[in-house]
Amino acid sequence: MSDADSPDDRGVPDGERGDANEDFEPVEVFPEGDLDLRSGADSCYKCSTCDTNCPVAEVDDEFPGPKFQGPEQWRLKRKEDSEIDPSIMDCSNCMRCDDACPADVPLSQMHNEARAEYVDGQMSKFSVEYWRNRVLANYRKGAWLGSKVPRLTNALANNGPLRKLGEKLFGLTAEREFPEFATETFREWWEERGGAATSKKRAREARADRGGADVQSEDKRVAYFHGCYANYNTPEVAKAMVRVFEHFGYEVAVPEQGCSGTPMFANGMLDDARRDAETNVSNFSDLIDEGYDVICSCTSCSMSLRQEYPELFTFEGTADVAAHTYEALEYLRIHEDLRGALDEAEVGGEGEELAYHAPCHARNQGLDRQAVELFRDLDGVGVEDVGDSCSGISGTYGWKAEKYDTSMAIGEEMFAEMADADGETGMTECPTCAMQMEHGTGYEIRHPLELLEDALVAD
Amino acid sequence: MAIEQDVLVIGGGLAGATAAISAARTGADVRLVSSKQPTLRHASGLIDVLGYTPDGEGPLADPFAALSDLPEGHPYERVGRDAVEAGLALFDEIVGNTYEGNHTERNALIPTQGGRVKPTARYPASVSAGLASDERDALLVGFERLAGFDASLSAARLNATGVPFTARGAAVEFPELSSADPKVTRFAQLLDRDEGVDAGRGVRREVTERVTTHMDGEDRVGFPAVLGDDHPEEVRADLESHLGAAVFEIPMGPPSLPGLRLEDRLYDALDEAGVRIETGNPVVGYESKSRGNGVETVLVDRTGSTVPYGAEQFVLATGGLVGKGIESDRSGVEEPIFDCHVAHPSDRYDWFADDAFGDHRFARFGVDPDRELRPRDAHGKIEFDNLRAAGAVLGNYDFAAEKSGSGVSLATGSHAGRLAGENT
Ligand SMILES: Cc1cc2nc3c(=O)[nH]c(=O)nc-3n(C[C@H](O)[C@H](O)[C@H](O)COP(=O)(O)OP(=O)(O)OC[C@H]3O[C@@H](n4cnc5c(N)ncnc54)[C@H](O)[C@@H]3O)c2cc1C
Ligand code: SF4
Ligand code: SF4
């Protein structure tokens, strides 16, 4: 019912009629799941707000949208022995619908469960699609191999005819250039530099420079979750993170870690995700016990550790890791006078104009505005928000040949806004959004941590 | 502590946005924190001030004339007529020429999706050619597969209400859609982008070709409110020129594009006013000042970790039962952040009236403020010196019955925001 309607209707919107039916027996619907999603399905009052937020539904009217994928599919499953609708694979796991729902229906959790069931039960393990998805989801394994011979990998990966072949045989779009592998991974650099011991020393020096009381501080400790991309492809982002935190007097630790799991959730590979999650939770919760907080430089990684782990897994320490995980800028804003530090700082050279795109997974954590807000007062740069559209690549999504057009159609709005913005450099926290921004506009893309390093850490 | 402001507004709906802009205009440094998208997306985009009296009289031609008779405790009674006018003036300034109705204090009558006529104070410019007081005949056009608008039924009902014109209804197939249940945003986006049907002919042209065959000399054509999201003016102008007739939108239920467009405009205005905005995380509690009865910080839950936000002045604009500013369960009704007093009968069966459309007590649940909008306890004492409340979180009015939702949000939001800003 709408209030736009019916002046003589002295009722209230349906959503206010809160007479919940409370006595229910939970019914297991997605049998593999450990989760009872009944209450989530029950609180959906079909307002369709989630559907208006779904970037895939906006450009593809074949996609039934989040309301269908979540609560409706859940109900269908309950009534009959129906299969999961294959359209679940067209969801990009941007998680925008989660944030939109006024009734707190756990949409992305329902999607993750349904997708895992679909892949387990309905997708052929011999299909090219399955293996392609599996390889994409397990990017880290390929990256590990590729990074052993970075120059060769880069050359092969960007060889035109080979890419065409990749599309034909393996369903990887030939339209995109593969991200380059760094010649030295972040972890190699970190070991070379002396690991945690060096970090401890540098942090102490920084504390001493800043004077007095903090010199003995034992609580300025952070454990860095660098994820795969910053390790293999953009170590400069990871190095910036280390230097900025040391500048504020933090001792950084870099424990052994696997993939955060985001690409695996998005491809319904929950078992793969579970293996890596177990390693991550165990290694990071040990450090939390020693007083460390967990810092991520990729917003999909922080999203995963904070929200998806507790939604999907029950390892000991999962809740602890979630409660102690932060995005890098966010952490500094909470614990340091970052605004004050930036007020006094400037970036050298000519004024730089940056077109900032907030990744969906930053938006979901309430972090979509912080970079613009922070850098607004920094001398020497201008930061312009290019609007609230999704970039469209959504991790592995935009790499699939059959999804490429959808991915670019979603991104179109962002490309246009970037083209309208002053300057020809972009900025974002998400490595795949960065790929899409670059792909769609040819701009060079930076990470906010790199800008922070420029502004605060004198060489 | 690093996150610290002069004024902190909790809630990002119409009331919160207005409060934040008003506070910023006093020169205060303002932050707005909101957990979810506001109910603006559900609302029609019409700005009602007062359409019916609390006793059900109406539709009212002049909402201002009725203000002085409102019962004590009604939000309008609390803030007074000046604040109602100030709230509307602020709104007019924010929306510029995308809204109409500010030329008169009288209510306009707008046809609704169900074919009724609704009194409202401000309406989107896209709606204006549809006014029920206009004497031009109208063709209403529905789209097959767009649920919620049956043009023929609406037209028949409209004629039955005695409007001074004749309305007819027709339905056309919307081009380029293959889904059986397309989203409203999909219609809007196809029109925004005007994507090709055949070479050289876009969706806008194709729609008008299909509509023309149904026209019978009408000077205006009404469509459900899906005519564009990013470029609504351009879409409407194109349709008008292809049809050779005025085009108007008929406000629809949730999710509502006029509501979405208004939301975008409000957030642009917040940006221009220099307000710091954070959405996505809820405020879950507060800490009081060590001395006196003030609020020191509120606690924001960030996906598991709790972060304190400090300010000198706070505005609570968390909405009503829909926005989650007021919560109820079987045992009682509460304001969940500050536990402000919310009067309600102790017997749950007194919350409702037996008649579905009767006078439901729960529709008026909310906090009870003084004239500076500071919530009061059960004995009428101010609960916190530096906390004000605005919008649907306030009690003692029934927005759905009175048609006063947006007006109350604007009046109390701008009043609370200004006072908060001035007290820093
Ligand atoms: C279906 C529907 C149709 C309507 N149609 C009309 C109409 O045609 N005309 C009209 O004038 N009015 C209409 N209204 C009423 C009008 O929209 C509302 O009265 C008005 O917008 C309320 O604004 P608000 O800012 O007080 O609350 P809301 O818009 O509810 O905003 C509250 C905000 O606070 C946030 N919030 C809640 N709790 C927390 C927390 N703990 N921490 C942080 N943030 C929090 C919410 O996420 C939300 O963003 C309609 C309302 C509904 C529901
Ligand atoms: S996660 Fe994103 S793509 Fe998937 S249904 Fe939700 S909004 Fe749509
Ligand atoms: S937004 Fe939430 S309540 Fe509304 S339709 Fe989607 S899931 Fe249901």
Side-chain angles (χ1 to χ4, degrees):
Chain A
M1 191 198 89
S2 147
D3 192 51
D5 211 354
S6 58
D8 52 353
D9 175 353
R10 294 170 54 93
V12 282
D14 287 348
E16 287 193 20
R17 295 214 175 88
D19 226 350
N21 76 43
E22 269 161 34
D23 324 86
F24 64 80
E25 287 285 307
V27 179
E28 218 182 1
V29 171
F30 296 135
E32 281 90 326
D34 323 316
L35 310 153
D36 173 25
L37 297 167
R38 164 73 187 253
S39 61
D42 275 356
S43 31
C44 169
Y45 62 101
K46 306 267 179 282
C47 66
S48 296
T49 304
C50 54
D51 286 345
T52 64
N53 278 264
C54 175
V56 175
E58 188 170 296
V59 300
D60 174 8
D61 59 66
E62 303 286 336
F63 183 61
K67 173 169 55 118
F68 172 81
Q69 303 296 356
E72 285 178 1
Q73 175 134 267
W74 195 93
R75 278 178 195 288
L76 280 177
K77 281 291 296 176
R78 189 162 163 255
K79 283 221 175 72
E80 309 127 40
D81 194 22
S82 66
E83 304 217 294
I84 304 273
D85 193 82
S87 64
I88 191 70
M89 297 308 285
D90 295 335
C91 158
S92 76
N93 198 34
C94 69
M95 299 168 89
R96 277 186 178 236
C97 45
D98 259 4
D99 195 32
C101 174
D104 290 329
V105 175
L107 286 154
S108 69
Q109 183 185 13
M110 294 181 128
H111 301 165
N112 276 332
E113 284 275 301
R115 197 159 33 228
E117 188 187 345
Y118 175 81
V119 171
D120 264 4
Q122 287 163 247
M123 204 178 196
S124 157
K125 303 294 163 306
F126 302 105
S127 66
V128 170
E129 193 187 353
Y130 176 82
W131 282 103
R132 188 239 3 232
N133 289 358
R134 200 129 190 223
V135 167
L136 280 173
N138 287 282
Y139 172 76
R140 182 170 158 265
K141 298 220 169 69
W144 175 83
L145 196 70
S147 70
K148 298 284 165 215
V149 280
R151 288 191 187 81
L152 175 67
T153 317
N154 292 339
L156 288 178
N158 285 315
N159 173 303
L162 258 184
R163 261 162 50 197
K164 286 253 156 45
L165 200 68
E167 170 155 337
K168 242 181 137 160
L169 296 181
F170 208 52
L172 281 182
T173 176
E175 302 287 339
R176 295 185 189 276
E177 292 204 5
F178 283 94
E180 281 207 17
F181 284 105
T183 43
E184 182 187 44
T185 67
F186 165 69
R187 294 192 76 93
E188 285 163 6
W189 174 83
W190 173 255
E191 293 308 327
E192 181 93 353
R193 184 175 179 257
T198 302
S199 184
K200 193 169 191 157
K201 193 167 134 272
R202 294 199 181 211
R204 286 210 170 135
E205 283 162 14
R207 292 202 293 265
D209 279 354
R210 311 178 122 231
D214 273 340
V215 177
Q216 295 306 326
S217 171
E218 288 298 309
D219 49 43
K220 292 194 121 187
R221 292 175 155 184
V222 295
Y224 181 29
F225 189 89
H226 48 66
C228 315
Y229 204 79
N231 186 38
Y232 296 115
N233 301 89
T234 53
E236 59 281 4
V237 171
K239 291 176 198 168
M241 141 80 213
V242 167
R243 291 186 186 121
V244 167
F245 273 73
E246 287 173 355
H247 169 81
F248 282 106
Y250 289 87
E251 299 167 12
V252 181
V254 185
E256 284 299 321
Q257 52 193 274
C259 168
S260 73
T262 312
M264 296 147 175
F265 305 141
N267 286 290
M269 313 274 170
L270 270 193
D271 292 340
D272 290 338
R274 189 173 283 116
R275 268 192 298 277
D276 278 5
E278 189 166 15
T279 315
N280 295 335
V281 168
S282 142
N283 291 352
F284 280 89
S285 62
D286 284 352
L287 284 167
I288 290 170
D289 291 342
E290 294 172 34
Y292 286 80
D293 284 319
V294 182
I295 305 298
C296 304
S297 54
C298 160
T299 40
S300 293
C301 294
S302 52
M303 186 79 204
S304 179
L305 268 54
R306 281 176 141 175
Q307 181 178 325
E308 287 167 313
Y309 279 17
E311 279 180 356
L312 298 169
F313 308 125
T314 49
F315 311 118
E316 203 190 318
T318 307
D320 223 17
V321 168
H324 285 90
T325 299
Y326 299 84
E327 189 275 337
L329 232 60
E330 175 192 24
Y331 191 81
L332 293 173
R333 281 180 68 215
I334 297 168
H335 295 279
E336 302 298 323
D337 181 14
L338 198 50
R339 220 163 120 190
L342 284 172
D343 265 349
E344 287 157 26
E346 59 180 313
V347 262
E350 301 138 52
E352 188 175 16
E353 294 293 328
L354 296 159
Y356 173 73
H357 163 77
C360 295
H361 290 174
R363 192 171 296 279
N364 300 331
Q365 296 174 72
L367 303 173
D368 50 323
R369 311 270 313 195
Q370 67 170 4
V372 176
E373 179 186 319
L374 258 185
F375 295 128
R376 191 148 69 183
D377 308 324
L378 176 62
D379 281 344
V381 287
V383 179
E384 191 177 332
D385 195 331
V386 294
D388 60 5
S389 68
C390 168
S391 80
I393 190 168
S394 288
T396 59
Y397 193 80
W399 281 94
K400 301 174 182 171
E402 77 279 11
K403 303 278 193 292
Y404 177 77
D405 289 342
T406 307
S407 154
M408 293 303 279
I410 296 172
E412 206 173 286
E413 204 174 314
M414 180 189 73
F415 304 145
E417 295 268 352
M418 284 179 72
D420 284 349
D422 299 329
E424 305 210 327
T425 308
M427 183 167 78
T428 193
E429 288 94 343
C430 169
T432 53
C433 288
M435 264 181 227
Q436 177 86 332
M437 292 164 83
E438 193 181 343
H439 181 65
T441 62
Y443 288 12
E444 182 204 337
I445 316 298
R446 307 185 68 193
H447 190 287
L449 280 168
E450 295 177 84
L451 190 61
L452 217 51
E453 184 188 14
D454 278 1
L456 300 178
V457 190
D459 257 340
Chain B
M1 183 181 41
I3 301 176
E4 185 85 56
Q5 251 62 51
D6 296 339
V7 176
L8 187 118
V9 177
I10 312 163
L14 200 50
T18 323
I21 293 169
S22 302
R25 290 191 175 183
T26 67
D29 182 11
V30 184
R31 179 179 298 279
L32 181 145
V33 179
S34 184
S35 58
K36 290 280 180 176
Q37 292 165 351
T39 48
L40 280 169
R41 294 176 182 239
H42 304 220
S44 60
L46 300 178
I47 302 296
D48 307 340
V49 170
L50 193 66
Y52 293 80
T53 68
D55 299 329
E57 281 164 48
L60 298 171
D62 180 354
F64 288 96
L67 289 183
S68 51
D69 295 332
L70 292 171
E72 190 177 338
H74 190 288
Y76 287 146
E77 182 275 329
R78 298 277 87 184
V79 299
R81 176 176 177 143
D82 285 353
V84 182
E85 284 174 349
L88 280 173
L90 178 63
F91 177 81
D92 291 338
E93 206 189 306
I94 291 170
V95 296
N97 58 9
T98 60
Y99 265 77
E100 290 182 15
N102 58 357
H103 59 289
T104 169
E105 289 194 345
R106 299 175 70 80
N107 275 330
L109 294 174
I110 306 286
T112 70
Q113 70 191 107
R116 302 182 206 248
V117 169
K118 172 177 163 159
T120 194
R122 299 286 187 273
Y123 44 91
S126 64
V127 165
S128 69
L131 291 196
S133 52
D134 192 328
E135 294 184 359
R136 290 176 293 174
D137 287 346
L139 176 69
L140 308 184
V141 178
F143 296 125
E144 311 275 2
R145 288 184 286 165
L146 176 65
F149 183 63
D150 178 334
S152 299
L153 186 67
S154 280
R157 283 206 188 146
L158 212 51
N159 291 329
T161 64
V163 290
F165 59 89
T166 307
R168 286 191 318 116
V172 300
E173 187 78 39
F174 196 90
E176 290 287 284
L177 283 174
S178 46
S179 160
D181 175 27
K183 320 276 168 277
V184 288
T185 34
R186 182 79 183 127
F187 289 90
Q189 207 219 16
L190 284 168
L191 286 164
D192 268 342
R193 295 193 178 178
D194 197 18
E195 271 160 26
V197 178
D198 291 322
R201 182 149 128 184
V203 166
R204 297 178 195 169
R205 181 95 224 179
E206 184 63 30
V207 167
T208 53
E209 294 289 329
R210 294 177 188 192
V211 171
T212 311
T213 59
H214 295 279
M215 282 179 72
D216 185 17
E218 285 92 353
D219 291 324
R220 47 180 181 155
V221 181
F223 292 94
V226 298
L227 305 184
D229 181 4
D230 296 326
H231 313 290
E233 284 88 13
E234 194 188 300
V235 170
R236 199 157 40 87
D238 261 12
L239 297 182
E240 290 192 332
S241 84
H242 296 328
L243 283 172
V247 164
F248 61 94
E249 287 189 311
I250 296 157
M252 299 279 289
S256 145
L257 279 153
L260 275 166
R261 296 175 203 141
L262 176 58
E263 184 184 326
D264 285 346
R265 208 149 290 127
L266 282 176
Y267 277 76
D268 286 347
L270 284 165
D271 263 337
E272 274 161 36
V275 173
R276 299 167 193 275
I277 308 169
E278 272 180 50
T279 56
N281 298 310
V283 173
V284 291
Y286 74 101
E287 284 162 354
S288 5
K289 286 195 168 141
S290 48
R291 257 175 296 165
N293 65 339
V295 176
E296 175 82 33
T297 61
V298 295
L299 305 171
V300 176
D301 176 68
R302 296 200 182 202
T303 334
S305 34
T306 307
V307 180
Y309 283 59
E312 282 180 48
Q313 295 286 329
F314 295 85
V315 177
L316 177 69
T318 43
L321 289 161
V322 177
K324 292 208 168 15
I326 300 292
E327 286 181 352
S328 70
D329 61 23
R330 285 173 176 242
S331 59
V333 187
E334 57 157 21
E335 182 284 301
I337 302 176
F338 300 99
D339 197 18
C340 289
H341 169 66
V342 178
H344 60 279
S346 54
D347 185 346
R348 192 166 169 264
Y349 291 95
D350 293 337
W351 297 0
F352 306 86
D354 287 337
D355 171 11
F357 299 136
D359 180 20
H360 298 290
R361 182 66 189 83
F362 76 90
R364 285 178 279 122
F365 286 161
V367 308
D368 174 33
D370 74 345
R371 290 177 184 277
E372 285 201 19
L373 294 177
R374 288 170 299 196
R376 300 183 300 175
D377 67 15
H379 310 290
K381 220 172 114 273
I382 292 161
E383 302 202 70
F384 303 96
D385 292 334
N386 59 346
L387 175 72
R388 290 178 174 73
V393 73
L394 296 173
N396 303 325
Y397 77 116
D398 178 346
F399 81 83
E402 297 170 9
K403 305 293 164 207
S404 63
S406 301
V408 166
S409 293
L410 292 172
T412 56
S414 68
H415 197 59
R418 185 174 56 79
L419 291 170
E422 284 171 0
N423 280 286
T424 57

